[in-house]
Amino acid sequence: MAYNLSTAEKFFPALAASGAMNLVNSSALTYAQGGKVRVVYAPFDHVASHAKLVVVGITPGAAQASAALAEARKHLAAGLPITEVLRRAKLIASFSGGAMRNNLVSMLDAIGVADLFSLSSTDALFTPGAEHVHFTSALRYPVFIDGQNYNGNPDMIRTPILREIVEKHLAEEAALLPNAVWLPLGPKPQAALLHLAGAGLLDRSRILAGLPHPSGANAERVAVFLGQKDPRLASAKTNPAPLLAACAALRRQIAELNGGRN
């Protein structure tokens, strides 16, 4: 099943005709608006149909969206098909190296995801061009609150204009990738995935809830999760107990998924 192109097709004429623009205030690219909330179209529609891992953030920020729009305009001007324009624009949403990827690979390997996919390491999923990892957001298109990047407030599930995006676009991706494992980067994307699971739109057992954010700024929590730092030596800002419990629970979860495959 291919992903839906209708939203991209609706906004691409405006995108192609536009030069530099104030993304936050662009009426031509406004997807939805209500009160303080404005949702703006940016070309994040592409779904990596062979992905085994889905990494879910909150929503694209203005800088990320502007870069994707510029990339899309360039390829539209070159006459590329819409699906290829979307694929290339989406590439800027991925991360290819650094501490974030290293931390993510280490944690996924530690809980057994490499074994689940018969790999020596989940690092193999990040092979350039293979699209074994799908990067997305709980809210596919950029959201602004009073002109500022959305940071999780107001609650996306309790805000109708935002919940509709979760239930339409994120649910579409869940339907396209039913056999992937889903990694929410933080509690807000996790809540969106659990909302879909509660509605029967995503298998709860495939959501990796509780994994620490792999950001390099989160190094101590990652080290405790991996058993690389004695929890008794953790600083006051890190609570080891939930991290250790999450690691144990995720190992059991992956083991059960792996058992179900064999």
Side-chain angles (χ1 to χ4, degrees), residues 23-239:
L23 179 70
V24 177
N25 296 318
S26 171
S27 58
L29 294 178
T30 296
Y31 174 92
Q33 187 170 8
K36 298 179 178 181
V37 181
R38 180 191 288 264
V39 184
V40 176
Y41 176 77
F44 293 108
D45 310 77
H46 175 73
V47 178
S49 59
H50 300 295
K52 298 181 178 181
L53 172 69
V54 184
V55 180
V56 188
I58 297 180
T59 189
Q64 184 184 22
S66 295
L69 286 162
E71 187 77 358
R73 277 196 294 269
K74 178 176 72 175
H75 296 303
L76 274 175
L80 270 62
I82 187 171
T83 52
E84 183 62 13
V85 171
L86 291 169
R87 187 189 72 81
R88 295 191 184 195
K90 186 67 177 288
L91 288 176
I92 67 163
S94 62
F95 56 89
S96 59
M100 190 166 179
R101 171 172 158 175
N102 293 339
N103 287 341
L104 179 55
V105 165
S106 295
M107 290 189 290
L108 292 173
D109 287 352
I111 63 175
V113 174
D115 292 337
L116 179 65
F117 294 132
S118 301
L119 300 170
S120 59
S121 169
T122 52
D123 189 59
L125 295 175
F126 294 86
T127 302
E131 293 201 307
H132 292 313
V133 181
H134 175 55
F135 295 92
T136 191
S137 301
L139 301 168
R140 177 185 289 180
Y141 306 121
V143 176
F144 302 100
I145 308 297
D146 281 338
Q148 302 300 312
N149 285 334
Y150 174 72
N151 63 5
N153 291 308
D155 185 285
M156 68 178 74
I157 302 304
R158 296 181 180 179
T159 305
I161 191 173
L162 301 181
R163 184 177 65 246
E164 182 178 345
I165 296 173
V166 172
E167 294 176 343
K168 180 178 181 180
H169 297 297
L170 190 62
E172 177 197 3
E173 296 177 42
L176 288 168
L177 298 168
N179 298 318
V181 291
W182 292 69
L183 172 62
L185 296 180
K188 303 299 183 180
Q190 180 173 303
L193 293 179
L194 293 176
H195 176 72
L196 294 185
L201 300 173
L202 180 60
D203 184 347
R204 171 64 181 82
S205 71
R206 308 195 78 83
I207 302 171
L208 303 182
L211 201 78
H213 196 291
S215 165
N218 214 19
E220 183 178 64
R221 298 182 77 245
V222 171
V224 170
F225 180 90
L226 291 171
Q228 295 172 347
K229 181 167 187 173
D230 187 330
R232 295 170 297 180
L233 301 178
S235 67
K237 66 180 181 181
T238 296
N239 184 355

